[in-house]
Amino acid sequence: MVSVVYSQSDLLRKEVFLVETMDNASSSRESMAHLKAVYFLRPSADNVQKLRRHLAMPRFAEYHLFFSNILKIPQIQILADSDEQEVVQQVQEFYADFCAIDPYHFTLNIQNNHMYMLPTVVDPPGMQSFCDQAVDGIASVFLALKRRPVIRYQRTSDVAKRIAQETARLMYEQESGLFDFRRTENSSLLLVIDRRDDPITPLLNQWTYQAMVHELIGIESNKVDLRGFSNVPKDQQEVVLSSVQDDFFRANMFENFGDLGMNIKRMVDDFQHLSKSSLNLQSIGDMAKFVSNYPEYRKTHGNVTKHVALVSEMSRIVEERKLMLVSQTEQELACTSGQAAAFEAVTSLLNNESVSDIDRLRLVMLYALRYEKESPVQLMQLFNKLASCSAKYKSGLVQFLLKQAGVDKRTGDLYGNRDLLNIARNMARGLKGVENVYTQHQPLLFQTMEGIVKGRLRDADYPLVGNHFQQGRPQDVVIFIVGGTTYEEARSVALYNAANPGVRFFLGGSVVLNSKRFLEDLGEAQRISKSSTTII
């Protein structure tokens, strides 16, 4: 949570010389009485017990305790009783129980993310833990924003309803005093929705920089691990991709792959020009100027190497997995109707030996989601074909996806073919032509944002919790996706905010998905469902 918003260099400038996790600090017995310690912790029962042991045998001169969420009275009493040597100088709540990846995008990094697909009866404690962490994270976001929102949820999702109701209980009953901020004219809105309403977005290959890195390599709390890849320099095996700390990334994170290549070439050319001028030092003055600019030169060198390494690696993966060919069919399945042509295209790619198992699976899933009601016979043919040519394919996974996120389970107009306005919009888009065939897909979230701004979000589909009503257009809107967000959706939010200055959208979720993580969660939920059915 700290590392995504503050770099190690920033911490050093603030005279923070040592950063440890609490577990590492527990294992050390070395006294550091010359240092003051700042603890930043989630207020979990486990953390309070660990902290109690730290205070019983203090290593540091002073302890300044900051908790990322609401600390309960009994927990404060435990800490007070443990501080026998009176080393604690302050105890504060600093609401940051979420990972702020970008200015408008946060995640809670909930480990057991597959829980949202399971009925509560399968694992009641697991579901409670999942919901508790979601409620805590959402609450801390609104405490950080100093807002108490009107709360709505997706009617078809039991887990979204539960999280919305428990959040309302916390904000309006249990901790109402804490959320009693000065009333503003424009109210805020929290909308809790379910990932299963749009299963397409996390299944698609991505072609804009940030989303593409996560899809092909993986981003964890703004860090990218390149250790498993060849031809990557030693000092670039773990790199940071942060829109706050990296100017080139901030300018290009939403650019498509073609434009990105041109911009990287320009950056390399500029750096070569800078390098040549640094070799041409004529006087003592030139040398002094170069030395004073050297940290900036090193930073630029590191940035150039990092982005070239990432784009080179992604280009290799695109070529190896024939992703341009695969992605074109994926986008057609997501954006255009034509069942016969789609069946032919998917069959052809299943027969192509260059296409990887995961890409075959995603293609069949995208076809199944679009045409589940139209062609059961052809769908069965694709299932059989997939099983015969993909050794890793788990039998019944596509059917499990349809059971979880099929047309009968969804609230939104996923393909833009139910609502007259969406049908007209799709026709207009088709007539205009699509600028880039690989990025024509628009997440369902975009429609949801437009629905909120234009007051078109139906109460029947997205009911309100309690008797708190929206007055006028909301100014701040947090959309929380149970089951996880994607970087494609985060891009939609950032671009929508830039184009509509009157309203500010924030996107959050239990995790940040790529297709690999989405399929892992689906597979884990399928496995647990099978075993719980067997036991019953």
Side-chain angles (χ1 to χ4, degrees):
M1 288 165 183
V2 176
S3 68
V4 292
V5 291
Y6 234 61
S7 70
Q8 196 84 19
S9 317
D10 294 331
L11 290 173
L12 281 169
R13 278 195 286 274
K14 299 285 183 188
E15 298 185 356
V16 176
F17 301 115
L18 177 65
V19 179
E20 286 188 320
T21 63
M22 191 153 65
D23 290 337
N24 280 353
S26 300
S27 61
S28 176
R29 290 278 168 265
E30 185 188 348
S31 172
M32 294 194 175
H34 58 294
L35 292 179
K36 299 172 184 177
V38 175
Y39 277 62
F40 181 53
L41 308 167
R42 292 193 73 230
S44 65
D46 187 36
N47 280 347
V48 169
Q49 287 306 317
K50 284 178 184 172
L51 184 53
R52 190 173 65 80
R53 291 194 288 274
H54 282 222
L55 294 175
M57 298 170 62
R59 291 172 58 207
F60 305 103
E62 294 178 6
Y63 284 68
H64 300 260
L65 310 181
F66 293 84
F67 290 89
S68 66
N69 216 318
I70 302 163
L71 197 62
K72 296 177 178 67
I73 299 292
Q75 292 176 318
I76 297 172
Q77 286 166 342
I78 289 169
L79 295 176
D81 293 343
S82 308
D83 186 25
E84 290 178 4
Q85 299 187 39
E86 298 185 351
V87 287
V88 175
Q89 299 298 306
Q90 59 176 321
V91 179
Q92 287 197 36
E93 292 168 345
F94 190 91
Y95 305 113
D97 202 2
F98 52 89
C99 194
I101 305 168
D102 286 312
Y104 302 113
H105 186 200
F106 69 90
T107 177
L108 303 184
N109 287 332
I110 299 177
Q111 293 306 306
N112 58 337
N113 188 54
H114 61 274
M115 284 304 308
Y116 79 99
M117 296 191 210
L118 299 171
T120 305
V121 292
V122 172
D123 181 3
M127 179 57 86
Q128 190 59 54
S129 155
F130 178 86
C131 292
D132 286 348
Q133 200 173 335
V135 171
D136 288 348
I138 292 167
S140 79
V141 166
F142 280 98
L143 286 167
L145 291 171
K146 294 185 167 55
R147 296 275 190 274
R148 176 158 56 184
V150 168
I151 301 173
R152 299 176 73 172
Y153 63 91
Q154 182 185 316
R155 178 185 53 79
T156 52
S157 169
D158 289 341
V159 67
K161 180 180 181 180
R162 179 170 171 175
I163 288 168
Q165 288 178 336
E166 289 182 14
T167 304
R169 198 173 303 123
L170 179 74
M171 291 180 175
Y172 287 92
E173 294 170 29
Q174 296 160 351
E175 297 288 350
S176 63
L178 202 54
F179 285 88
D180 193 15
F181 300 111
R182 189 165 54 85
R183 294 282 170 92
T184 54
E185 281 181 31
N186 295 72
S187 56
S188 303
L189 172 67
L190 164 65
L191 177 65
V192 185
I193 58 178
D194 194 309
R195 175 74 270 161
R196 290 169 291 184
D197 216 35
D198 176 7
I200 287 177
T201 302
L203 284 171
L204 292 173
N205 262 304
Q206 297 300 321
W207 294 94
T208 56
Y209 193 18
Q210 186 184 37
M212 198 173 175
V213 173
H214 189 45
E215 177 58 32
L216 299 184
I217 300 171
I219 306 175
E220 191 71 46
S221 298
N222 287 355
K223 290 191 284 289
V224 183
D225 187 347
L226 292 167
R227 277 173 299 198
F229 300 99
S230 53
N231 306 323
V232 175
K234 269 214 162 62
D235 62 338
Q236 295 288 337
Q237 298 205 328
E238 186 179 72
V239 296
V240 174
L241 272 188
S242 165
S243 60
V244 177
Q245 296 161 18
D246 181 337
D247 294 341
F248 179 83
F249 182 63
R250 181 168 58 251
N252 290 276
M253 59 197 280
F254 302 140
E255 292 292 336
N256 70 53
F257 199 48
D259 293 340
L260 175 67
M262 298 296 291
N263 293 347
I264 282 198
K265 184 183 181 303
R266 202 170 295 124
M267 179 172 68
V268 171
D269 290 345
D270 290 347
F271 181 69
Q272 283 177 333
H273 179 71
L274 187 68
S275 299
K276 279 176 191 162
S277 65
S278 71
L279 293 172
N280 192 23
L281 303 175
Q282 302 290 337
S283 66
I284 298 292
D286 289 344
M287 288 180 198
K289 192 176 173 187
F290 176 72
V291 168
S292 67
N293 290 334
Y294 187 69
E296 194 57 39
Y297 175 84
R298 286 288 303 155
K299 185 182 171 186
T300 307
H301 176 265
N303 252 359
V304 171
T305 317
K306 168 174 75 179
H307 292 294
V308 168
L310 282 170
V311 172
S312 305
E313 196 47 53
M314 291 195 299
S315 300
R316 185 190 65 75
I317 295 168
V318 165
E319 177 53 39
E320 192 178 272
R321 284 170 50 186
K322 301 289 177 271
L323 289 183
M324 294 190 91
L325 191 64
V326 170
S327 185
Q328 196 164 343
T329 300
E330 286 177 4
Q331 290 283 329
E332 282 161 10
L333 285 166
C335 304
T336 56
S337 182
Q339 187 260 321
F343 177 75
E344 202 174 301
V346 173
T347 305
S348 165
L349 287 167
L350 289 180
N351 288 326
N352 186 333
E353 288 181 12
S354 301
V355 175
S356 70
D357 283 355
I358 191 170
D359 294 323
R360 287 171 172 152
L361 175 59
R362 288 185 304 102
L363 284 162
V364 174
M365 284 180 163
L366 289 164
Y367 180 91
L369 286 163
R370 177 127 212 170
Y371 300 112
E372 62 178 298
K373 300 285 189 190
E374 287 183 39
S375 56
V377 175
Q378 287 177 317
L379 199 50
M380 195 51 69
Q381 287 175 344
L382 290 180
F383 291 161
N384 294 337
K385 185 80 185 161
L386 182 65
S388 68
C389 61
S390 294
K392 293 178 190 168
Y393 169 60
K394 290 177 188 158
S395 173
L397 195 61
V398 186
Q399 292 92 321
F400 185 72
L401 173 66
L402 292 178
K403 194 175 160 189
Q404 288 285 329
V407 67
D408 298 335
K409 299 281 182 182
R410 299 193 299 262
T411 301
D413 189 5
L414 187 57
Y415 293 105
N417 54 8
R418 288 192 214 165
D419 181 276
L420 281 172
L421 190 76
N422 288 334
I423 292 168
R425 188 188 284 129
N426 283 348
M427 281 173 67
R429 213 162 103 198
L431 291 169
K432 263 196 300 190
V434 177
E435 195 179 319
N436 185 336
V437 71
Y438 298 106
T439 54
Q440 59 181 307
H441 174 256
Q442 201 174 59
L444 182 65
L445 184 76
F446 183 84
Q447 280 180 41
T448 309
M449 289 190 290
E450 285 217 309
I452 290 167
V453 169
K454 293 174 179 171
R456 291 202 197 113
L457 215 58
R458 291 174 53 204
D459 289 351
D461 291 334
Y462 300 96
L464 286 137
V465 179
N467 56 358
H468 311 285
F469 295 101
Q470 196 78 54
Q471 294 173 337
R473 192 171 77 169
Q475 201 168 22
D476 289 321
V477 180
V478 173
I479 299 177
F480 186 83
I481 306 182
V482 182
T485 59
T486 64
Y487 282 115
E488 186 187 347
E489 288 162 328
R491 176 177 180 266
S492 281
V493 167
L495 296 179
Y496 198 91
N497 283 341
N500 299 276
V503 62
R504 216 171 33 153
F505 282 96
F506 298 91
L507 176 67
S510 42
V511 295
V512 184
L513 296 166
N514 53 15
S515 62
K516 185 182 172 200
R517 177 64 195 266
F518 181 67
L519 292 170
E520 280 171 2
D521 288 341
L522 194 69
E524 183 61 12
Q526 183 200 23
R527 184 190 67 74
I528 293 169
S529 297
K530 271 184 181 172
S531 59
S532 65
T533 311
T534 311
I535 291 162
I536 290 162

